[in-house]
Amino acid sequence: MWSRQRTTSTFLAFLRISRAQTSKEILSLTCHSSSSSSSSSPSSCSSGLHRSVHQPLLSRLLSTPPSPSPLMELKKVLEVLEQFAPLSLAEPWDNVGLLVEPSRPRPISTILLTNDLTEAVMDEAEALTCDLIVSYHPPLFQPIKRLVQRDWKQRLAVRALEGGIAVFSPHTSWDSVRGGVNDWLVAGLGCGQVSVLSQALASGPCRFKLEFKVRNAEELQPIAEQLKKEDSKTTLTHSVNSCEAEGLVASVLCSDTALPSAVQTLLQHGVASQALAILKTEQPPLPGHGQGRLIVLDQSVTVATAVEKMKSHLGMKHLRLALGSGHTLESTVSRAAGCAGSGASVLKGVRADLYVTGEMSHHEVLDAVASGASVILSDHSNSERGFLAVVKEKLGARLPDSVTVAISKADWDPLEVV
C-alpha cells in the first residue's frame, strides 16, 4: 500500500516539474504530494533516498541544452574580414578581396589561413574540407585570359572552383591597418612609440578645386548656374574666398569626370579664364594606418640583442644581417624602421639605427648601410607569416563557435638556409 501510493504521488509530482522554475519549488512539490498521500509516511523532504533519486533528474529537466551556433554564409565572413582590415586600406596596385567565389554557396565551417596559396596548401585545404582559404598574398594577381592546367596558379583556381572553396586575399590592407602586420613586426624589438612611415589616406572620389576671379557677384551667378546645368550628376559648389580690389576670388569643387566641362565653361568667360588655377584635393589622413612603421624603443638594445629578439619573434634560427657604416654588434639601436615583405621602397631615406624587412636587393642593402642603418633580412614571407596567429585569435573572437579557423601547416618560405 505504501509503495503504490508513494509511486503514484511521486509520478504526479514529476508531471508538474516542468512548470517549476527552481529546485526549491520542485522539492516543495514533491513534499506536498508525498504528505497528501499519507500523513503517517515519513516526509520525503527529509528522506535521503528522495534527494538522491530526484535531484539528478530534476537537474536534467531544468537544464536547457545550449542552442547550436549559427551557420555563417560567406558574405557574413567577408564582412568580419572587412571589419578587421578594410580593403580600402590596400595599395591601388594590389589585387585584394574575394578572388574565387564558388557558384554554389555553402555555410562556412572551416577557414584555412596561409601566407601563400601553393599546391601543397590546396591539398591541405581539401583534406580539411575547407570552405574558405584566406591567403595573405593574392594567388591571382595578373589578368588571366584562360584557365588551363599547365600554369600552377590557374590549376589552383580550377581546384578551388571544383571543390567549392572560396579564396580571399587581404595583402596590403593587413600591412596598412593599425595593429596589422607591420605593427606586429616591429613589436618584436620591444615596446616603444610607433608611428607610420607612409600615411594612408581616406578613400573617396577624386575631386578638383578650380579657383578663378570675377568682377562681382552678378558676374559669378550665371557662371555657377551654367556649371551646374552642364553636369547634373555632380554637385558643384562655389564660395567666395576673399575680396580684392579688382573683384572676387571664387572656387568650385568638382569630380574628375566633371573637370573637363567645368574648365571649358570657365574658359568661355574672359575674366574667369585670365586667372584660372586647377588644384587636386587630397583625402584626409587616417591616423595609425599606412605602410611601414618606425618605433622609438622605450629601452635601447644592441644590434646583437635586436637580432636575437627578431629570431625569437619570427620563430627562426637564422637571419641575415648587414652592419651599418661604423656599426658593430654592440652598437645601440634606439630607432628602428620595419616593413614586412619587400620593404626597401618604404624604408628608403628613413632615419633609423636598424631596418627590419623580408628582402632587399644587393644595392638597396648597400644604400642602407651607407646611410648608417644596419639591416636585418628574414626572407620575404618569414616577415609576414607569424601574423597569421594574431589573425586566428582575432577572427576566433568575432566568429561563432560553428566556424573553425586553422593555420596552414604546409605553408612555408621557399628559401631556407642549408
Side-chain angles (χ1 to χ4, degrees):
M1 179 65 178
W2 183 90
S3 175
R4 178 173 296 179
Q5 288 180 342
R6 176 63 61 134
T7 301
T8 302
S9 61
T10 302
F11 173 74
L12 292 175
F14 281 155
L15 292 179
R16 300 169 58 192
I17 285 175
S18 59
R19 299 181 182 178
Q21 300 299 316
T22 65
S23 298
K24 182 177 180 180
E25 292 176 359
I26 295 170
L27 288 175
S28 65
L29 286 174
T30 307
C31 290
H32 178 74
S33 300
S34 301
S35 59
S36 63
S37 62
S38 174
S39 59
S40 60
S41 61
S43 172
S44 63
C45 288
S46 62
S47 170
L49 175 62
H50 277 264
R51 285 186 179 274
S52 61
V53 173
H54 296 169
Q55 200 67 23
L57 179 57
L58 299 182
S59 299
R60 289 198 300 272
L61 290 171
L62 280 175
S63 64
T64 302
S67 57
S69 298
L71 298 176
M72 289 200 76
E73 297 178 354
L74 175 61
K75 178 182 177 181
K76 295 297 183 181
V77 176
L78 295 180
E79 290 175 358
V80 172
L81 289 167
E82 175 71 15
Q83 293 168 5
F84 173 62
L87 294 176
S88 59
L89 293 175
E91 294 298 299
W93 49 262
D94 208 356
N95 189 37
V96 296
L98 185 62
L99 305 185
V100 176
E101 181 179 10
S103 59
R104 296 181 180 178
R106 65 187 186 191
I108 303 298
S109 59
T110 303
I111 301 174
L112 183 64
L113 305 178
T114 183
N115 204 80
D116 292 284
L117 179 54
T118 62
E119 293 190 283
V121 173
M122 181 59 78
D123 291 339
E124 181 183 17
E126 291 173 344
L128 292 172
T129 61
C130 179
D131 307 296
L132 171 63
I133 297 174
V134 177
S135 176
Y136 168 76
H137 286 137
L140 300 177
F141 193 80
Q142 300 298 335
I144 293 178
K145 295 183 177 181
R146 58 182 58 83
L147 290 173
V148 295
Q149 292 299 305
R150 65 172 176 265
D151 181 274
W152 71 276
K153 290 189 176 181
Q154 293 175 25
R155 287 199 301 271
L156 289 175
V158 171
R159 289 178 64 180
L161 288 171
E162 290 177 340
I165 303 173
V167 179
F168 175 90
S169 177
H171 201 201
T172 51
S173 66
W174 281 9
D175 295 345
S176 179
V177 71
R178 186 203 305 266
V181 179
N182 284 312
D183 284 297
W184 167 83
L185 180 64
V186 298
L189 293 169
C191 298
Q193 187 68 33
V194 179
S195 57
V196 177
L197 294 179
S198 180
Q199 183 67 59
L201 302 177
S203 60
C206 180
R207 296 180 67 83
F208 290 87
K209 182 179 182 180
L210 284 69
E211 291 185 345
F212 58 95
K213 292 182 180 180
V214 292
R215 285 185 288 264
N216 50 51
E218 289 74 16
E219 188 175 55
L220 177 62
Q221 184 63 30
I223 296 176
E225 291 178 354
Q226 187 175 352
L227 287 171
K228 294 180 180 180
K229 181 179 179 181
E230 291 183 356
D231 195 307
S232 58
K233 296 181 179 179
T234 303
T235 302
L236 301 173
T237 61
H238 70 276
S239 60
V240 178
N241 295 332
S242 63
C243 182
E244 299 180 352
E246 63 271 21
L248 303 177
V249 178
S251 65
V252 173
L253 288 176
C254 67
S255 66
D256 55 346
T257 57
L259 179 63
S261 61
V263 171
Q264 186 65 32
T265 297
L266 292 174
L267 291 177
Q268 293 174 359
H269 293 77
V271 177
S273 63
Q274 292 176 9
L276 175 61
I278 303 175
L279 306 173
K280 184 178 181 180
T281 62
E282 293 288 343
Q283 297 293 337
L286 297 174
H289 304 294
Q291 299 301 321
R293 297 293 186 271
L294 175 70
I295 182 170
V296 180
L297 295 171
D298 292 339
Q299 294 184 342
S300 299
V301 297
T302 64
V303 173
T305 300
V307 170
E308 293 306 313
K309 280 179 170 287
M310 291 310 301
K311 283 182 180 179
S312 175
H313 188 58
L314 301 177
M316 300 182 65
K317 296 181 179 180
H318 305 284
L319 293 171
R320 289 190 290 171
L321 171 68
L323 287 171
S325 179
H327 285 197
T328 68
L329 288 175
E330 298 306 312
S331 294
T332 299
V333 175
S334 59
R335 293 168 58 92
C339 183
S342 182
S345 61
V346 176
L347 300 176
K348 186 176 181 180
V350 176
R351 186 174 65 85
D353 305 310
L354 177 68
Y355 290 168
V356 179
T357 187
E359 61 180 345
M360 296 173 72
S361 72
H362 172 76
H363 295 287
E364 289 166 343
V365 173
L366 290 179
D367 289 342
V369 167
S371 71
S374 295
V375 178
I376 290 178
L377 301 179
S378 63
D379 286 331
H380 192 111
S381 67
N382 291 329
S383 64
E384 305 157 337
R385 185 171 289 103
F387 183 67
L388 296 179
V390 178
V391 176
K392 178 182 178 181
E393 180 180 355
K394 290 183 178 294
L395 290 183
R398 290 171 167 83
L399 297 172
D401 294 338
S402 61
V403 180
T404 299
V405 181
I407 299 176
S408 173
K409 297 179 180 178
D411 173 46
W412 58 78
D413 195 278
L415 293 172
E416 58 180 307
V417 179
V418 296

